[in-house]
Amino acid sequence: MGLFSKDKKPQFIDVERKKENLKILMKTGRSKEAIAYIYLIYNDLIKNKYDKPRLAYQTIREYAITCVNELDQKPETIYPFIKKIEDIIYGGLEPTKKEFEFTMNMFSNLYNEITGKNFNFST
């Protein structure tokens, strides 16, 4: 049985711990880091469910395209989320609470599509 066998069991993602980490980042005024962390949670979900990690040479956008083309993710859900992540991470400005909430809402929709569960989060 190889490292990437077809019968590989998904790893447990401690969603509650990730939510706590997000709350800490927001409470300490690190909203840009919180939004980057949301993206990392998305990566964990994809890696866990589909065994499709982002490769070292892939940009955030290239990985999103891969997820749409190979994993049948909805482009109307993933692309606006990725655009917002890129704008915030590479934009140079600290996001407002409203931008964080907007990004979190987009992520929550993605989370629901991927897991069939809700990602309830409040700061």
Side-chain angles (χ1 to χ4, degrees), residues 76-105:
E76 62 272 16
T77 308
I78 185 69
Y79 292 146
F81 171 71
I82 294 302
K83 171 87 171 94
K84 193 64 161 165
I85 295 290
E86 287 178 325
D87 289 350
I88 291 169
I89 292 175
Y90 304 119
L93 297 174
E94 279 298 314
T96 64
K97 183 172 174 140
K98 186 176 178 179
E99 286 174 306
F100 174 81
E101 289 170 356
F102 181 73
T103 306
M104 180 55 71
N105 187 49

Side-chain angles (χ1 to χ4, degrees), residues 30-100:
R30 295 158 47 199
S31 55
K32 185 180 277 195
E33 289 176 53
I35 289 174
Y37 192 70
I38 292 169
Y39 179 74
L40 293 177
I41 297 170
Y42 168 75
N43 277 351
D44 285 348
L45 289 172
I46 297 299
K47 181 179 172 187
N48 187 47
K49 181 167 183 174
Y50 301 104
D51 195 26
K52 190 76 175 173
R54 182 174 148 216
L55 304 175
Y57 63 84
Q58 285 181 308
T59 65
I60 292 173
R61 185 170 302 200
E62 288 170 337
Y63 186 59
I65 292 168
T66 298
C67 290
V68 167
N69 291 338
E70 296 179 19
L71 307 177
D72 293 326
Q73 283 202 288
K74 296 177 183 174
E76 62 272 16
T77 308
I78 185 69
Y79 292 146
F81 171 71
I82 294 302
K83 171 87 171 94
K84 193 64 161 165
I85 295 290
E86 287 178 325
D87 289 350
I88 291 169
I89 292 175
Y90 304 119
L93 297 174
E94 279 298 314
T96 64
K97 183 172 174 140
K98 186 176 178 179
E99 286 174 306
F100 174 81

Side-chain angles (χ1 to χ4, degrees), residues 5 24 29 89 91:
S5 66
I24 291 167
I89 292 175

Side-chain angles (χ1 to χ4, degrees), residues 3-39:
L3 183 61
F4 297 107
S5 66
K6 292 288 181 201
D7 58 333
K8 180 183 172 205
K9 295 211 187 302
Q11 295 175 321
F12 175 73
I13 296 175
D14 189 346
V15 175
E16 293 308 313
R17 181 175 171 98
K18 293 193 181 293
K19 287 178 186 179
E20 273 307 308
N21 291 343
L22 278 173
K23 285 179 185 177
I24 291 167
L25 288 170
M26 288 305 293
K27 285 180 182 172
T28 56
R30 295 158 47 199
S31 55
K32 185 180 277 195
E33 289 176 53
I35 289 174
Y37 192 70
I38 292 169
Y39 179 74

